[in-house]
C-alpha cells in the first residue's frame, strides 16, 4: 500500500499497529498516535475503517502522513500521470541547455546549500518545485512534494537517511528528474490501489507537540498506539533538514519541539529528566483522551545518556502508574537485533526495545 512512499527512521512495521487495532478496537472507533512519524498507524486505520488522529512536531512527518492517507479520485490520478508525462518528455530529449535555461529558478536559499547539493541537482530540484507549485489541486501538490522529499537525500551529498554526514556522490545530469519520475510512477500505482480499497474513515493530522492536545475531547479515543522517540538515539529534525529547507519549513522550531533528540541529550547534554517531563505531558494527554476501558500500546527503546542505561519499560510503567493505568501485557527484545547503529556511542549490549500495553480502568 502507501506505506512504502517515504523512508522514515524507526518506522513501524505495519503489522504492529494492525494487530493492536484489530485486537482492541472495532470499526468506527478512534485511534490516536501522538508521535505519528510517517503515518503507519493512520494508513492501517484507513484500511481497517477506524478514525485516526495523528500528531507530530516534524512537518515532513505530517506531510507524508497526510499524503499516505488521502485518497485520490480517478480524475486526480489522471492529472498526476500527466504531470509525470511532461517530465518524461524532457527526459526523452535531455536538452543540453536545460541547466543553463532553468538556472534562474535556483532561488531557494539556505545555509550550506552548495555543500549538500551539486549545482545540476539544485537546478533540477528548483525546476520540480516550481512545476509542482503550479498544480491547482492541493492534494496533488502534497503528493508530489512527498515524492520530491523521498528522493532528496539520494540526490544530495548526505550519506543516508539516518546519517547526516557528507558523502560525495557525483550525481549525473537528469538523475534527479529521473528518480522523481520513477518514484512518482510507483506512488501513483500504490495510491490508486489504496484509494480503491480504503474506508471513508476520518483522519486528522496536526503539526505540533503532543504535549498539549486539548482540542482532542476527553474520553474520545479507544486506543493509543505509538512509538515515542528513543531518547538520545535519533535527530529527526536533522535527517529531514534538507527536505525542510527545500520545501520551506522552519528547521529551528522543529529542532526545539522535538523531545529526546541526540542534539538535546548529547550535544546540549540535557539530563534524562528533560525527556521524561515532555513524555509525561504527552502520555497524560493520552490518558485524558482515552475512554474508560481503553488501551495504550507504547513501543519504546532503552537509552544511554552520559554512559548511563535508562530502562524505558520501568520509566514508562511508572509514568502510566501515576495516572492510574496498569501494565497488562509486555514483551521485550534486544535492540541490537532490530537496529543498525553506526555510532558505538549509542549502542549498548543491554539495550532493549519494549512493547507495553496499558489499560485505563
Ligand atoms: C519513532 S518516530 C515514530 C515513527 C512512526 N511510528 C512511523 O511508523 O513512522 C517518533 C516521532 O516522534 C516525533 N516527535 C518528537 N518529539 C515530538 C513532540 N514533542 N511531539 C510530537 N511528536 C514528536 C518525531 O518527529 C518522530 O517523527
Amino acid at each position: 500500500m502507501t506505506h512504502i512512499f517515504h523512508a522514515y527512521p524507526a518506522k513501524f512495521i505495519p503489522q504492529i499497529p494492525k494487530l493492536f487495532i484489530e485486537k482492541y478496537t472495532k470499526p468506527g472507533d478512534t485511534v490516536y498516535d501522538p508521535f505519528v512519524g510517517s503515518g503507519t498507524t493512520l494508513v492501517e486505520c484507513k484500511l481497517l475503517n477506524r478514525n485516526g488522529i495523528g500528531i507530530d512536531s516534524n512537518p515532513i512527518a505530517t506531510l507524508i502522513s497526510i499524503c499516505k492517507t488521502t485518497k485520490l479520485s480517478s480524475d486526480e490520478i489522471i492529472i498526476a500521470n500527466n504531470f509525470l508525462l511532461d517530465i518524461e518528455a524532457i527526459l526523452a530529449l535531455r536538452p543540453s541547455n536545460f541547466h543553463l535555461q532553468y538556472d534562474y529558478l535556483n532561488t531557494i536559499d539556505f545555509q550550506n546549500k552548495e555543500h549538500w547539493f551539486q549545482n545540476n541537482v539544485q537546478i533540477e530540484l528548483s525546476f520540480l518545485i516550481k512545476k509542482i507549485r503550479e498544480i491547482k489541486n492541493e492534494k496533488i501538490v502534497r503528493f508530489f512534494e512527498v515524492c520530491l522529499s523521498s528522493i532528496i537525500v539520494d540526490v544530495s551529498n548526505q550519506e543516508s537517511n539516518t546519517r547526516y554526514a557528507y558523502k560525495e556522490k557525483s550525481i549525473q545530469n537528469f538523475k534527479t528528474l529521473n528518480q522523481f519520475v520513477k518514484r512518482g510512477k510507483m506512488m501513483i500505482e500504490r495510491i490508486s490501489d489504496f484509494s480503491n480499497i480504503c474506508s471513508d474513515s476520518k483522519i486528522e493530522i496536526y503539526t505540533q507537540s503532543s504535549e498539549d492536545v486539548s482540542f482532542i475531547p476527553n474520553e474520545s479515543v479507544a486506543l493509543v498506539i505509538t512509538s515515542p522517540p528513543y531518547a538520545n538515539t535519533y535527530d529527526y529534525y536533522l535527517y529531514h533538514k534538507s527536505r525542510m529547507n527545500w520545501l520551506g519549513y522552519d528547521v529551528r522550531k522543529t529542532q526545539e519541539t522535538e523531545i529526546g533528540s541526540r542534539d538535546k541529550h548529547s550535544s546540549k547534554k540535557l539530563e534524562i529528566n528533560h525527556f521524561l517531563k515532555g513524555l509525561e505531558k504527552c502520555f497524560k494527554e493520552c490518558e485524558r483522551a482515552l475512554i474508560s476501558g481503553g488501551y495504550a500500546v507504547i513501543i519504546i527503546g532503552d537509552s544511554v545518556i552520559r554512559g548511563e542505561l535508562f530502562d524505558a519499560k520501568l520509566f514508562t510503567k511508572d509514568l502510566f502508574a501515576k495516572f492510574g493505568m496498569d501494565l497488562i501485557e509486555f514483551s521485550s527484545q534486544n535492540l541490537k537485533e532490530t537496529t543498525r547503529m553506526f555510532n558505538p556511542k549509542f549502542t549498548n549490549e543491554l539495550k532493549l526495545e519494549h512493547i507495553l500495553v496499558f489499560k485505563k480502568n
Side-chain angles (χ1 to χ4, degrees):
M1 285 293 135
T2 56
H3 287 302
I4 201 173
F5 276 14
H6 202 291
Y8 206 89
K11 182 173 172 170
F12 275 152
I13 53 161
Q15 289 81 353
I16 291 185
K18 180 177 181 346
L19 180 107
F20 290 108
I21 291 169
E22 285 179 329
K23 184 167 178 184
Y24 291 127
T25 67
K26 51 185 191 323
D29 280 349
T30 298
V31 176
Y32 170 44
D33 188 339
F35 301 98
V36 77
S38 61
T40 317
T41 302
L42 301 181
V43 172
E44 288 304 313
C45 284
K46 263 319 246 186
L47 293 170
L48 296 165
N49 193 18
R50 270 63 164 183
N51 299 316
I53 305 173
I55 311 274
D56 206 285
S57 54
N58 196 304
I60 297 297
T62 50
L63 177 74
I64 302 169
S65 298
I66 296 173
C67 167
K68 281 164 70 172
T69 53
T70 304
K71 281 186 185 191
L72 294 187
S73 68
S74 43
D75 284 349
E76 288 167 331
I77 302 277
I78 292 171
I79 299 173
N81 266 320
N82 287 342
F83 182 78
L84 291 185
L85 283 177
D86 285 351
I87 299 164
E88 272 189 305
I90 298 170
L91 284 170
L93 296 171
R94 294 177 169 249
S96 56
N97 65 346
F98 180 92
H99 296 89
L100 260 182
Q101 187 184 345
Y102 291 111
D103 187 40
Y104 79 97
L105 294 177
N106 192 3
T107 53
I108 299 171
D109 252 337
F110 50 89
Q111 221 183 3
N112 297 328
K113 184 177 164 191
E114 303 299 322
H115 173 74
W116 292 112
F117 293 89
Q118 291 176 200
N119 195 255
N120 57 343
V121 174
Q122 290 179 26
I123 294 167
E124 290 178 44
L125 286 174
S126 306
F127 174 81
L128 285 170
I129 289 174
K130 176 172 184 291
K131 287 275 165 218
I132 292 170
R133 302 257 157 99
E134 280 169 7
I135 302 172
K136 299 273 180 305
N137 181 316
E138 211 186 299
K139 286 195 253 172
I140 305 175
V141 170
R142 224 164 24 218
F143 182 83
F144 283 121
E145 281 182 344
V146 169
C147 181
L148 184 105
S149 171
S150 75
I151 64 158
I152 278 185
V153 171
D154 280 351
V155 296
S156 75
N157 294 322
Q158 182 179 325
E159 189 175 310
S160 75
N161 274 304
T162 48
R163 195 151 161 75
Y164 194 70
Y166 181 87
K167 186 179 176 196
E168 175 97 44
K169 292 189 196 156
S170 298
I171 309 288
Q172 302 296 308
N173 283 352
F174 297 108
K175 177 168 175 189
T176 306
L177 295 190
N178 195 37
Q179 294 263 90
F180 179 86
V181 169
K182 258 193 169 153
R183 191 93 203 157
K185 281 185 174 173
M186 177 278 284
M187 284 175 61
I188 290 176
E189 231 173 78
R190 300 286 176 127
I191 201 74
S192 308
D193 291 347
F194 178 78
S195 304
N196 282 333
I197 68 161
C198 76
S199 69
D200 284 320
S201 67
K202 186 175 168 207
I203 302 293
E204 295 169 68
I205 297 166
Y206 304 95
T207 312
Q208 60 155 84
S209 173
S210 48
E211 288 164 285
D212 177 3
V213 287
S214 42
F215 57 89
I216 303 179
N218 292 352
E219 311 220 347
S220 58
V221 164
L223 169 70
V224 168
I225 172 149
T226 198
S227 174
Y230 297 4
N232 201 23
T233 304
Y234 287 121
D235 279 312
Y236 290 93
Y237 82 90
L238 197 59
Y239 307 140
H240 294 325
K241 192 171 175 177
S242 299
R243 300 179 168 117
M244 285 193 267
N245 279 329
W246 279 105
L247 293 173
Y249 293 111
D250 185 340
V251 178
R252 175 150 312 169
K253 185 172 162 216
T254 310
Q255 175 177 6
E256 281 163 9
T257 331
E258 183 175 331
I259 61 167
S261 60
R262 262 173 21 193
D263 171 55
K264 286 195 169 139
H265 297 285
S266 282
S267 310
K268 302 196 171 100
K269 306 228 178 301
L270 295 183
E271 291 184 1
I272 185 82
N273 270 342
H274 185 271
F275 173 64
L276 292 184
K277 273 191 193 146
L279 206 57
E280 178 168 354
K281 286 187 194 157
C282 301
F283 287 162
K284 178 71 196 129
E285 286 290 71
C286 292
E287 186 271 338
R288 180 188 61 73
L290 273 174
I291 54 171
S292 120
Y295 294 86
V297 179
I298 312 295
I299 291 99
I300 192 163
D302 294 342
S303 14
V304 174
I305 296 183
R306 300 188 199 170
E308 205 181 323
L309 180 72
F310 287 92
D311 179 339
K313 175 169 165 253
L314 195 67
F315 69 63
T316 308
K317 192 171 165 246
D318 286 350
L319 285 183
F320 275 93
K322 267 195 188 176
F323 323 136
M325 283 181 68
D326 298 327
L327 180 66
I328 57 158
E329 254 188 87
F330 75 90
S331 109
S332 303
Q333 63 179 336
N334 199 308
L335 254 173
K336 246 186 117 192
E337 285 155 28
T338 53
T339 50
R340 280 181 302 142
M341 275 284 161
F342 302 98
N343 190 338
K345 245 169 67 191
F346 302 103
T347 59
N348 183 303
E349 296 295 319
L350 302 171
K351 261 164 107 175
L352 299 177
E353 182 172 50
H354 315 273
I355 300 183
L356 309 170
V357 183
F358 298 91
K359 185 168 185 195
K360 181 168 171 178
N361 296 316

